[in-house]
Structure formats: structure tokens, C-alpha cells
Amino acid sequence: MFKKLVLTAGLLAALPALAAHGEGEEPKHIPGIFVGATHFDGDTDFSWGLEYEYKFTSNWGAGLVFEKTPDGHDGAGTELHIAEVYYHPTNEIRLGLGYGEEEVDAHGHHHSFDEHLWRASAAYDFHLGKFAIAPTIAVDHVDGENATVFELAFLMPF
């Protein structure tokens, strides 16, 4: 897991060197980090993660989300890998629909397993110069149940 995190963080850090946009052009690459909380089955646990979106047009983009909830699933810990499609009705609003996998870690007292999930998300991007802060809410549908995720994302569009 640590190797995945280091590789993902390294790729996000290298993105500004891989592509640039001209003056006045809308950024195409939107990497970010986030912190938040996941509420599921009466429990609320700390979550954090990395995200990346590539905007094909001013209204449409696609991206990846890596999310970790260390105490999720009754202390077993969860890791999410999600591919999302985003619609931007305005420059600030970002609506997402995604599909991915939830991995539940064993930690010696649970059985490890993977489950497929669907995610619907909504964010509002507050643009602050070269950066943006995005309060986000997401609902994950996993194995017939829903989890609600509240996040604060720190983005660096370029």
C-alpha cells in the first residue's frame, strides 16, 4: 500500500512538468489532495486521498480517485480506487459519477475482501489564484448500502 501511495504522489508531483497551458487557456489537469470523513452504518471515520481530473472540454472531464479510511469498516481499514467522469455546468461546480473498488484490509482480525462500488459526487471549487479549495460531498453505493463522504480538497489546476 505504501508503494502505491508513493507512486501516486510522485505522479501527481510530476504532472506540472508534463504539461502546461498557455496564458488565458483553461487548465486541463486538476490534481489534488483531500481530507474528510466517511459516514457509514452509524460510524464516522477520518478519510484522506488523492485525486486527478483531466478536462477534455470546459464542461467534461475524467479522472481517478485514491481514498483511504484507516479506521473504516469496523477498524479494518478501507482503500478505494475509483474512475470518475465529471460534468462542469459552471466553472465552479463539478458533478461526478464513478465506478471502482473498495478493498477492506484484514489487519489480522478480519477477512480481507474487495467490493465494487458506484460513486456520485458534487463539489464547489473556490478558485484562489493558481489553487482551488473544493468542499465535496460523495455518496458511495457498496453492496446494497450507502456511505456518505465529506471532503475538503486542495487542488492545483494547470
Side-chain angles (χ1 to χ4, degrees), residues 59-125:
N59 294 106
W60 291 97
L64 300 171
V65 176
F66 167 83
E67 183 177 310
K68 182 81 173 163
T69 306
D71 294 325
H73 216 281
D74 297 322
T78 62
E79 192 174 287
L80 305 180
H81 306 99
I82 305 168
E84 271 193 274
V85 174
Y86 298 101
Y87 174 64
H88 298 260
T90 70
N91 194 37
E92 292 81 19
I93 296 173
R94 181 168 25 112
L95 304 174
L97 182 61
Y99 180 77
E101 184 176 78
E102 174 188 53
E103 296 177 7
V104 178
D105 195 3
H107 287 307
H109 61 283
H110 292 280
H111 296 291
S112 294
F113 58 91
D114 299 342
E115 295 180 311
H116 298 282
L117 69 90
W118 287 96
R119 171 172 280 191
S121 63
Y124 190 91
D125 298 349

Side-chain angles (χ1 to χ4, degrees), residues 2-15 50-51 66:
F2 182 72
K3 288 180 184 179
K4 288 183 199 176
L5 179 61
V6 170
L7 177 62
T8 304
L11 288 173
L12 286 174
L15 285 174
L50 304 169
E51 61 184 56
F66 167 83

